[in-house]
């Protein structure tokens, strides 16, 4: 996120590649140049995906297929980059790898620059910057088919001569030219051992400027004698990029800073613009190269992509298609994901029951079943939504539609200071904030991404639904208003709207206070549409799920076990004894003939087992049924007393003074404490608190809990759950960050505890304040 | 021929112009230049987003999006 520089090495000496270890080949290029396709074709199905140390930038590497066993070659796929003057964390990583500033990434032995042949000039801007670094370099000229279709005929020999490195034509999507590229890599690599740093230059600068670059390069040579890249391009970047020094951490000593400032002052005094001169000089050279090597065989025409854009960004049709696509995406994570989610939770419950039945009852059994297995269930339950959302996001990105979606939505989002790309993460958060927050990686600007992460959980997610449903069923009168609107439905709608409005307000507030400062201007490429590749889509879904399981899953599991302990301990031994006595008393009363403890235990076991399905409805059974009901009541009372006695129960009482002004009592406090694991836990906890037993999510369970809530009375006989209390409680749940999984994912995605804690605190403060205003305001108005 | 400079977003849709001046502050226009939009570069206004902002332009053979606020600071000389 707004991290400074990800771990720049403080000293100048590069981390040497282990002798005999794998050789690193860096694959780099502009976004949308087909780099991922080239990477997949070179490495096959065995890529390894993780994060760069300390940041949330995807690190992707894989072994070059068919490399000789003696010289294994690792291909490192760098994030798409437009320039060596980074404007996003992704681009900064690319630059830092190429300048070998990341301690855990060996310096590349060879660089392969992927260039989009159909967009040659702009792609060569970055390619020539990389060439100047002096690495042994190959240029992979991809999308030759698109270039030919658009009427660009490229003189490959002429281009290679002008760039000074081999140029290999490719159509990576059709696997054309991949073998030649692989052969070129294998041919080049063995010769690398003693390759000197090559001197290449594509910027013809005025003499004064050239001298300034030379002087600074000489200083760098002295300071960093072990450099693996040419120093003139490094000096050029230091002189021309405002941020080059700032974003390099402690890499450069103060004397470089002084030298840079002096040189800039001299250049300015001589009437030279140190910011733009190099860019203009490079494009001037690229213009020459382009003119000399590209022959236009056809006049610029309307491409298929242009025609498709006419429809997809059309004032009416474009918006309509967008709405339909978003509705489909939302529907699938909100509704379709329910099916595998219910299945998964049934499987986890089944495993829990099975494991529970295999072991003797006791604390270990309880820990395994209710702590560990339930905790694992709490993690895997998110997989269907994550997989489905990333199916859509991957398709939207790979086809090129994502930037069109941002183009369509930017106006709306920019009103509150956000980016068009914030729309999809926010929308997804209505289903679940976890995949929504993970989807913010598509937002390049770190500030926009952070603001989106901070407000995304304010969207009412599906876990709030059971809370709203039960409270509305219990406390909102089922009447019609304004003719055909139901008050219950309107209340639900109001909760959703409340979340949206406050999210937008908070986004605006964060952008204008906490995360203020110059936002980079919106410059977004609209790449030509492409057909998505099934393998890449599946791979993307799988990688994201794996990252979630590995990184966030462990935290979620840990906190779930902790919350289980809070709700279980300390145990009150007298409780179990009392229940034991109560059960025996019930049985003895119904069956006076049973007296011995052994027989009592047997009868109890028989009664607690489910009744035989074919049992006739005889008179004896009605006695048994009555006994069964009494026993169940004892069980539920025991469950309830245990919870009330536990740490969670005590916490509920402890926080009562803090939540009393919101209209909540200590029992609701227990629900709030316990549902920190996940919001829907509130419902099942209240179920236990009020001795109704386990909540199974069915309609009957909802209505029986609702009835129980309605029946709750204060000491003076007034109802506990008035309409006002219910609304206040719902408002609390709209805002409070009652979800450890969100906290864990935000920790993961911002790579710090600072932001998730801040988020938890600000949302908690909002929840308290707005519930307070609701309850106290309502009372002032004479409601409740 | 007198120069009739106008903001980029005021070009008629589908017509080209040549960038004459970029009034975006130097410290924030770097990326724009790196993307190939320099004084003297030919640009075409393709369309406005359905909600009126941002705009889509074509430069050096590819498509780029800018917000109107910035596009208004790019002055172009319409092609005759």
């Amino acid at each position: 996120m707004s991290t400074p520089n990800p771990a720049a090495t403080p000293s100048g000496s590069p981390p040497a590649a282990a002798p005999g270890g794998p050789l690193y080949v860096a694959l780099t290029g502009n976004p949308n140049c087909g780099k991922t396709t080239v990477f997949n074709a070179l490495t096959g199905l065995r890529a390894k995906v993780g994060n760069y140390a300390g940041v949330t930038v995807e690190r992707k590497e894989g072994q070059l297929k068919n490399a000789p066993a003696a010289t294994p070659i690792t291909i490192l796929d760098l994030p798409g980059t437009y320039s060596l003057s980074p404007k996003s964390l992704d681009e900064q990583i690319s630059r830092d790898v190429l300048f070998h500033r990341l301690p855990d990434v060996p310096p590349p032995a060879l660089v392969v620059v992927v260039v989009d042949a159909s967009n040659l000039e702009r792609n060569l801007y970055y390619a020539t910057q990389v060439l100047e670094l002096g690495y042994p370099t190959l240029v992979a000229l991809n999308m030759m088919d698109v270039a030919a279709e658009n009427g660009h005929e490229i003189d490959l020999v002429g281009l290679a001569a002008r760039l000074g490195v081999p140029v290999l034509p490719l159509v990576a999507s059709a696997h054309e030219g991949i073998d030649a590229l692989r052969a070129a890599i294998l041919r080049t690599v063995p010769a690398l051992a003693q390759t000197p740093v090559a001197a290449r230059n594509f910027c013809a600068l005025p003499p004064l400027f050239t001298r300034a670059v030379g002087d600074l390069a000489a200083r760098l040579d002295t300071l960093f004698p072990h450099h693996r890249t040419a120093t003139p391009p490094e000096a050029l970047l230091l002189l021309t990029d405002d941020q080059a020094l700032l974003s390099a951490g402690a890499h450069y000593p103060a004397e470089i800073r002084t030298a840079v400032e002096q040189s800039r002052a001299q250049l300015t005094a001589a009437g030279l613009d140190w910011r733009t001169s190099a860019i203009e000089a490079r494009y001037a050279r690229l213009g020459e190269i382009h003119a000399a090597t590209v022959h236009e065989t056809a006049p610029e025409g309307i491409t298929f992509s242009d025609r498709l854009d006419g429809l997809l960004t059309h004032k009416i049709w474009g918006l309509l298609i967008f709405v339909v696509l978003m509705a489909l995406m939302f529907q699938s994570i909100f509704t379709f994901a329910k099916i595998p989610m219910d299945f998964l939770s049934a499987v986890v419950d089944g495993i829990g029951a099975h494991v529970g039945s295999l072991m003797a009852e006791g604390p270990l059994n309880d820990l395994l079943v209710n702590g560990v297995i339930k905790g694992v269930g709490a993690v895997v339950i998110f997989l269907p939504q994550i997989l489905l959302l990333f199916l859509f996001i991957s398709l939207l990105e790979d086809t090129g539609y994502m930037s069109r979606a941002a183009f369509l939505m930017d106006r709306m989002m920019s009103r509150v200071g956000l980016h068009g790309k914030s729309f999809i993460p926010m929308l997804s958060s209505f289903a679940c904030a976890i995949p929504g927050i993970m989807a913010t990686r598509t937002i390049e600007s770190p500030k926009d991404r952070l603001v989106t992460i901070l407000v995304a959980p304010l969207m009412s997610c599906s876990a709030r639904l059971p809370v709203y449903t039960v409270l509305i069923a219990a406390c909102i009168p089922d009447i019609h208003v304004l003719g055909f609107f139901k008050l219950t439905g309107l209340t639900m709608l109001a909760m959703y709207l409340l979340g949206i409005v406050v999210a937008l307000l908070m986004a605006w507030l964060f952008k204008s206070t906490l995360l203020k400062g110059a936002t980079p201007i919106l410059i977004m490429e609209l790449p030509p549409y492409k057909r998505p590749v099934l393998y890449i889509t599946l791979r993307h879904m799988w990688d994201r799920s794996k990252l979630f399981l590995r990184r966030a899953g462990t935290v979620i599991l840990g906190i779930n076990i902790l919350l289980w302990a809070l709700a279980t301990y300390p145990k009150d031994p007298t409780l179990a004894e009392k229940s034991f006595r109560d059960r025996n008393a019930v049985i003895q009363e119904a069956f006076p003939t049973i007296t011995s403890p052994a027989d009592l235990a047997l009868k109890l076991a028989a009664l607690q087992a489910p009744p035989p399905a074919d049992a006739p409805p005889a008179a004896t059974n009605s006695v048994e049924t009555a006994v069964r009901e009494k026993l169940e009541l004892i069980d539920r009372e025991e469950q309830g007393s245990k919870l009330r006695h536990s740490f969670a129960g005590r916490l509920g009482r402890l926080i009562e003074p803090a939540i009393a002004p919101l209209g909540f009592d200590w029992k609701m406090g227990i629900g709030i404490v316990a549902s920190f694991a996940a919001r829907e836990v509130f419902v099942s906890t209240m179920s236990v608190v009020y001795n109704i037993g386990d909540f199974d999510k069915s309609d009957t369970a909802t209505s029986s809990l609702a009835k129980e809530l309605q029946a709750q009375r204060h000491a003076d006989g007034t109802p506990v759950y008035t309409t006002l209390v219910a609304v206040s409680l719902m408002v609390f749940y709209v805002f409070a960050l009652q979800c450890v999984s969100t906290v864990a994912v935000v920790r993961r995605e911002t790579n710090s505890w600072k932001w998730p804690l801040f988020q938890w605190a600000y949302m908690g403060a909002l929840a308290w304040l707005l519930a307070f205003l609701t309850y106290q305001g309502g009372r002032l108005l004479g409601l409740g | 021929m007198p120069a009739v400079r106008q903001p980029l977003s005021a070009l008629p849709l589908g017509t080209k112009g040549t960038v004459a001046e970029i009034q975006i502050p130097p410290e924030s226009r770097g990326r724009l230049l790196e993307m190939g939009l320099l004084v003297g570069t030919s640009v075409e206004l393709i369309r406005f987003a359905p909600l009126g902002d941002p705009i889509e332009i074509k430069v050096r053979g590819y498509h780029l999006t800018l917000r109107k606020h910035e596009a208004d600071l790019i002055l172009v000389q319409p092609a005759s």
Side-chain angles (χ1 to χ4, degrees), chain A residues 583-599:
Chain A
R583 285 197 194 96
N584 284 350
V586 167
I587 295 173
Q588 274 178 327
E589 192 191 344
F591 309 99
T593 52
I594 304 174
T595 51
S596 86
D599 290 345

Side-chain angles (χ1 to χ4, degrees), chain A residues 176-252:
Chain A
E176 280 172 35
I178 293 294
D179 290 335
L181 176 61
R182 189 197 323 279
I185 294 173
L186 289 173
R187 210 170 37 241
T188 319
V189 163
L192 290 177
Q194 297 303 322
T195 321
V197 173
R200 306 183 186 112
N201 183 11
F202 298 90
C203 284
L205 293 163
L208 183 67
F209 214 126
T210 311
R211 221 167 21 246
V213 170
D215 290 350
L216 191 58
R219 273 176 199 271
L220 291 171
D221 275 329
T222 330
L223 272 169
F224 306 108
H226 302 292
H227 56 79
R228 283 163 188 271
T229 50
T231 43
E234 188 179 354
L236 184 65
L237 283 176
L238 285 175
L239 282 176
T240 57
D241 176 8
D242 285 303
Q243 304 295 317
L245 280 168
L246 288 174
S247 64
H251 183 72
Y252 295 107

Side-chain angles (χ1 to χ4, degrees), chain A residues 1 3-9 52-57 89 92-96 101-104 247-249 751:
Chain A
M1 299 308 316
T3 47
N5 180 48
T9 44
Y52 284 92
V55 285
T56 52
V57 174
L89 211 47
Q92 193 171 320
I93 287 288
S94 290
R95 181 199 64 180
D96 289 348
R101 284 182 199 159
L102 301 183
D104 60 333
S247 64
N751 200 42

Side-chain angles (χ1 to χ4, degrees), chain A residues 465-681:
Chain A
L465 259 183
V467 181
Y468 296 163
T469 311
V470 164
L471 290 172
I472 286 175
C475 307
I476 304 296
D478 190 10
I479 51 169
H480 287 259
V481 282
L482 301 175
F484 56 91
F485 291 113
K486 276 196 150 185
L487 187 59
T488 49
L490 285 181
T491 310
M492 183 79 89
L493 180 68
M495 293 305 139
Y496 275 83
L497 287 179
L498 187 62
I500 299 171
V501 170
V502 174
L504 295 179
L505 279 174
M506 290 312 294
W508 174 81
L509 193 69
F510 287 142
K511 281 291 279 198
S512 46
T513 57
L514 196 60
L515 296 164
K516 207 166 85 173
T519 320
I521 59 178
L522 175 90
I523 302 171
M524 182 176 64
E525 189 182 356
L526 296 174
Y529 290 99
K530 276 197 264 312
R531 196 178 313 151
V533 181
L534 179 70
Y535 164 71
I536 294 181
T537 309
L538 293 177
R539 179 83 215 195
H540 193 72
M541 291 162 67
W542 169 238
D543 288 339
R544 280 303 149 93
S545 308
K546 224 169 53 182
L547 270 182
F548 168 77
L549 287 179
R550 236 195 1 236
R551 306 294 179 145
T554 42
V555 178
I556 299 174
L557 177 62
I559 300 185
N560 268 289
I561 293 175
L562 179 73
L563 284 166
W564 162 83
L566 280 181
T568 312
Y569 292 97
K571 289 194 168 170
D572 182 357
T574 60
L575 256 177
E577 279 166 36
K578 180 179 171 292
S579 310
F580 180 72
R581 281 198 308 274
D582 289 351
R583 285 197 194 96
N584 284 350
V586 167
I587 295 173
Q588 274 178 327
E589 192 191 344
F591 309 99
T593 52
I594 304 174
T595 51
S596 86
D599 290 345
L600 274 174
L602 273 177
K603 187 70 191 171
L604 178 63
L607 283 167
Q608 282 179 331
D614 54 350
T620 50
N621 279 359
S622 74
V623 174
E624 278 201 5
T625 313
V627 175
R628 276 177 198 278
E629 274 170 11
K630 279 184 190 161
L631 287 175
E632 266 173 35
L633 188 67
I634 294 172
D635 281 351
R636 297 197 307 244
E637 269 169 10
E638 187 185 355
Q639 250 187 320
S641 309
K642 265 187 193 163
L643 180 59
R644 290 188 290 267
H645 182 77
S646 70
F647 287 122
R650 292 174 194 191
L651 277 174
R653 283 183 193 275
L654 190 71
I655 65 169
E656 192 176 21
I659 55 175
L662 318 182
F664 309 161
D665 65 2
W666 65 275
K667 288 182 180 175
M668 296 177 211
I670 299 179
I672 291 171
V673 169
S675 66
F676 178 61
R679 296 173 179 96
E680 70 270 23
V681 172

Side-chain angles (χ1 to χ4, degrees), chain A residues 83 85 87 91 119 121-122 125 275-276 283 300 306 310 313 407-408 410-411 521-524 526, chain B residues 16 26 31-36 38 47 49-51 53-54 56 58 60 62-65 67 70:
Chain A
S83 139
S85 303
K87 289 286 182 285
E91 294 191 333
N119 183 1
E121 231 178 323
R122 216 271 327 280
Y125 180 84
R275 284 192 184 88
T276 59
Y283 266 110
E300 207 177 349
D306 292 338
T313 59
F407 179 66
L408 294 176
D410 188 69
R411 176 72 195 271
I521 59 178
L522 175 90
I523 302 171
M524 182 176 64
L526 296 174
Chain B
K16 290 183 185 170
R31 181 45 60 92
L32 197 62
L33 306 185
E34 289 184 307
M35 296 296 274
L38 304 162
R47 63 169 63 82
L51 303 175
D53 196 15
E56 179 182 342
K58 192 169 175 183
R60 293 184 198 263
Y62 76 97
H63 294 250
L64 198 64
T65 291
R67 290 201 180 125
E70 275 88 35

Side-chain angles (χ1 to χ4, degrees), chain A residues 37-121:
Chain A
T37 322
V38 175
F39 174 78
N40 285 327
L42 286 176
T43 59
L45 308 177
R46 296 163 298 173
K48 221 174 68 191
V49 178
N51 280 337
Y52 284 92
V55 285
T56 52
V57 174
E58 203 164 79
R59 173 174 176 170
K60 219 160 47 174
E61 55 184 70
Q63 300 302 313
L64 179 67
K65 258 197 319 197
N66 303 339
T71 47
I73 294 173
T74 303
I75 311 270
L76 182 64
D77 185 16
L78 297 181
T81 305
Y82 286 117
S83 139
L84 285 179
S85 303
K87 289 286 182 285
S88 70
L89 211 47
D90 277 19
E91 294 191 333
Q92 193 171 320
I93 287 288
S94 290
R95 181 199 64 180
D96 289 348
V97 169
L98 290 173
F99 277 108
H100 51 79
R101 284 182 199 159
L102 301 183
D104 60 333
V105 185
L110 171 73
V111 176
V112 176
V113 191
V114 184
V115 167
D116 175 359
S118 66
N119 183 1
L120 194 61
E121 231 178 323

Side-chain angles (χ1 to χ4, degrees), chain A residues 300 302 306 315 407 526, chain B residues 6-19 37 41-49 52-60 62-72 74 76-79:
Chain A
E300 207 177 349
I302 305 281
D306 292 338
K315 278 191 166 49
F407 179 66
L526 296 174
Chain B
Q6 58 184 71
L8 174 51
S9 56
L11 273 181
L13 284 186
T15 63
K16 290 183 185 170
T18 306
V19 177
L37 198 91
T41 307
S42 164
V43 287
E44 179 181 343
L45 180 65
I46 303 290
R47 63 169 63 82
F48 289 83
D53 196 15
I55 68 164
E56 179 182 342
I57 60 171
K58 192 169 175 183
V59 52
R60 293 184 198 263
Y62 76 97
H63 294 250
L64 198 64
T65 291
L66 296 174
R67 290 201 180 125
K68 245 187 112 224
H69 173 257
E70 275 88 35
D72 285 342
I74 300 170
V76 294
Q77 169 97 51

